[in-house]
Amino acid sequence: MATTNINVRVDTELKQSAELLFNDLGLNMSTAITMFLKSAVSHNGIPFEVKRVPNAETRAALAEYEEMKKNPGSYKRYASFDEMAKEVLEDA
């Protein structure tokens, strides 16, 4: 079977840690990556769960948004973007 090269740039520490792990498992980097690719093709996708976990700032913003939806009268509203921008610029 013909082979081809794949060039991947990763953090040096990540590469070293992965090499140690794979060596301990009796694998080299090339074999481990080939296993990942074969598994991805077999699963017709990434062979493990990939999910997005919001950071603390995003969670706080989402919580604030939910609060604003529950109590819209407690927050200032603007008739237009221009009205809001004018107030922001005046306060700057």
Side-chain angles (χ1 to χ4, degrees), residues 20-83:
L20 288 173
L21 170 65
F22 299 149
N23 287 336
D24 193 45
L25 295 171
L27 305 169
N28 61 31
M29 185 69 72
S30 181
T31 301
I33 291 172
T34 298
M35 290 173 67
F36 167 77
L37 294 174
K38 285 184 177 188
S39 184
V41 170
S42 170
H43 283 84
N44 199 28
I46 303 294
F48 47 82
E49 183 179 15
V50 177
K51 61 182 178 178
R52 197 158 141 184
V53 179
N55 63 24
E57 183 179 6
T58 301
R59 286 192 302 273
L62 291 170
E64 182 180 10
Y65 169 71
E66 291 300 326
E67 176 62 27
M68 291 171 85
K69 283 190 339 186
K70 288 178 188 171
N71 301 300
S74 300
Y75 298 90
K76 183 165 184 166
R77 301 182 70 99
Y78 299 92
S80 69
F81 177 80
D82 289 337
E83 180 185 341

